Amino acid sequence: MDIQLKKGLLENCVLAVLIKSDSYGYQMVKDISEHIEITESTLYPILRRLENVNAVSVYTVEHNMRLRKYYKITESGKERLSLFLKDFDNVLEIYKYIKGVVENE
């Protein structure tokens, strides 16, 4: 898969996971890995980028006497995900067109 395409998909996968509930890094990797390959070393830069654009917020919770960072989607993050879905509908239409042309070739 094209690396830029994957990067955009992963950012939106992170936002989609957070729509369901707040989460922490390791759990997000487990949830997303069922659908697309991701590692913690890939996830954390994505989370920092999303935090820098105010798409997610961060808070800490004590767990087993350690602090665990939780991530929460913001209204801006929800809008970003909504725009992605609208854009992707357009991409699907283009994909269907290209596929139809190629199959009829």
Side-chain angles (χ1 to χ4, degrees):
M1 177 181 292
D2 177 73
I3 200 151
Q4 291 301 321
L5 176 60
K6 185 175 181 180
K7 176 184 165 189
L9 291 173
L10 285 173
E11 286 183 1
N12 287 287
C13 285
V14 169
L15 293 173
V17 164
L18 295 175
I19 283 277
K20 294 190 296 186
S21 67
D22 299 356
S23 192
Y24 55 96
Y26 179 72
Q27 184 61 51
M28 282 189 267
V29 168
K30 284 177 38 179
D31 292 341
I32 295 169
S33 290
E34 296 176 16
H35 307 283
I36 187 170
E37 183 181 331
I38 187 170
T39 62
E40 287 184 60
S41 61
T42 301
L43 175 67
Y44 287 107
I46 291 170
L47 288 168
R48 278 193 295 279
R49 274 195 307 275
L50 290 172
E51 185 180 6
N52 287 338
V53 297
N54 298 313
V56 299
S57 60
V58 182
Y59 62 94
T60 56
V61 173
E62 188 174 326
H63 178 75
N64 292 336
M65 297 176 43
R66 294 178 62 192
L67 292 180
R68 179 182 279 173
K69 269 185 164 180
Y70 276 81
Y71 297 85
K72 177 182 181 73
I73 192 167
T74 63
E75 285 303 314
S76 175
K78 290 176 185 176
E79 290 172 16
R80 186 180 180 110
L81 189 55
S82 178
L83 286 173
F84 166 79
L85 291 173
K86 287 179 186 171
D87 287 345
F88 202 75
D89 285 341
N90 292 336
V91 170
L92 284 176
E93 287 303 314
I94 295 166
Y95 170 82
K96 288 176 189 174
Y97 164 73
I98 293 170
K99 185 175 180 181
V101 169
V102 170
E103 287 176 348
N104 290 323
E105 187 62 18

